Amino acid sequence: MKNKKFLLLVGLLFALGMFLTACGGGEKEEGTGSDGGNDTGSETENDTGAEDNDADAGDKPEFLSLLTGGTSGTYYPLGGEMASIITDETGIQTDAVSSNASADNIAALQAGEAELAFAQTDVTANAVEGINSFDGNPVDNIQAIASLYPETIQIVTVKDSGITSVADLAGKTVSVGAPGSGTYVNATQILEAYGLSMDDIDAQNLDFGESTGGIQDGNIDAAFITAGTPTGAVEGLAATTDVSIVPIEQDKIDSLIEQYPYYAADTVKAGTYDIEEDVNTVAVLAMLVVTDSLSEDVVYDITKAIFDNTDKITHAKGEYITKESALDGIGIDLHPGAKKYFEEEGLLD
């Protein structure tokens, strides 16, 4: 009898266990279905959101590099101010980066190493055409934002050097900038206008600071410096030494402009570097170049940031940076974002 009661009790417990297991399995399956539905919905929503965010991030980068020039020139300090304006106005962290200037800057844009750069209009035109420093290697991924200000070709020496004409550079030790740089190309073309070549001088490939330091130390006789005036390195030299700027005669200016239309007549004004009289020379234009990988909206915002806030530029060259002159002498295609801005400003048809 006891065995029968015991077996009955075991049977009841077994049946109860099976029932509870079945109920628990049902709750788990429902829960999994419900959670799975929520997870699926959540994952779908989150994934879509992430994709949207990624797309937005692709249109508007978090960081931009603005390639400038040597720290003793004009590009670097001016670029620093522009980078700050772009950062403040667009929310894109933009850093001004010291570099070897025009030709190297364009090569870096071509290689995808940066997005924005200062460059001379002549060097940029050469890059797109695949000539001079870019012979056989045309650059097809750059477009213009705007031109900025005149870059004066300054042939710097000291008063007692005996150099009063470009012709006097023959046989002298002269800094001509890095090979392929804008300054180097300008030096080559100006020497040619006088029937000279790099073989007729002791050419030194120095940056602006090294050039003026070399003049001060007596290691070089003169230096070609293509930069907005006043140039910091030359101002530093003038603080300790009587500086002279070698003039370019008018007939040579005319022939240079005829052969290379991106040149313009220019003057280093009396009082600059404490010189006593105006000095005639030539200039090219500084411009801001961008890769075509940046979207129309981003470049529109960058262009608007700069030209709606030129009053915030304290550098001496800021007075030349205007909407009205921004399309002068560019020589390459405008980026669609820049074009949109200048169209809105009524400066393009």
Side-chain angles (χ1 to χ4, degrees), residues 162-223:
I163 300 171
T164 60
S165 168
V166 175
D168 295 331
L169 296 176
K172 298 294 195 295
T173 303
V174 183
S175 174
V176 294
S181 68
T183 299
Y184 186 91
V185 172
N186 300 148
T188 300
Q189 293 168 343
I190 290 168
L191 289 171
E192 285 176 351
Y194 283 82
L196 301 174
S197 72
M198 291 294 174
D199 293 335
D200 295 308
I201 64 174
D202 179 11
Q204 302 294 308
N205 304 121
L206 307 175
D207 66 23
F208 295 166
E210 292 168 336
S211 296
T212 53
I215 292 173
Q216 186 171 29
D217 296 339
N219 295 324
I220 64 173
D221 300 303

Side-chain angles (χ1 to χ4, degrees), residues 106-115 141 291 293:
I106 292 173
L109 295 187
Q110 183 182 34
E113 296 171 358
E115 298 80 25
N141 70 329
T291 62
S293 61

